[in-house]
Amino acid sequence: MNTDQELEDFLDQDLTEYLVPENFTPATFEFATKDKSITLRISSALLAAVKEASKAQGMSYQRYIRQVVEESLSR
């Protein structure tokens, strides 16, 4: 969407066919206030791998680490 008009035109459509569970992703801790920080020492190689994986997912490496921790805890 490049303009407000294009966005308005898109939202004026019947979007019912898009409102199915497959088009949604779970979101839990990501919206919680991040009021604590931690220090974690890892190898340069592991950090590089994390950054590469997070880039492939289109997110910051800190968010990627939070997501991986959350997924691990939900198993």
Side-chain angles (χ1 to χ4, degrees):
M1 304 291 153
N2 293 327
T3 67
D4 288 344
Q5 186 59 51
E6 288 174 325
L7 181 57
E8 287 180 25
D9 292 343
F10 177 78
L11 293 175
D12 284 340
Q13 300 178 69
D14 179 7
L15 300 175
T16 305
E17 65 186 68
Y18 298 104
L19 298 177
V20 293
E22 296 80 29
N23 289 337
F24 292 90
T25 57
T28 52
F29 294 122
E30 192 55 40
F31 295 104
T33 302
K34 286 130 189 98
D35 57 349
K36 299 290 182 188
S37 65
I38 63 170
T39 300
L40 178 67
R41 298 190 63 81
I42 60 175
S43 70
S44 297
L46 180 55
L47 181 57
V50 166
K51 287 183 175 184
E52 185 175 321
S54 67
K55 185 176 181 180
Q57 295 292 318
M59 64 180 72
S60 71
Y61 74 93
Q62 295 97 335
R63 181 175 177 197
Y64 179 80
I65 292 169
R66 283 193 306 269
Q67 179 178 313
V68 170
V69 169
E70 181 181 340
E71 288 171 359
S72 174
L73 292 173
S74 68
R75 291 185 200 140

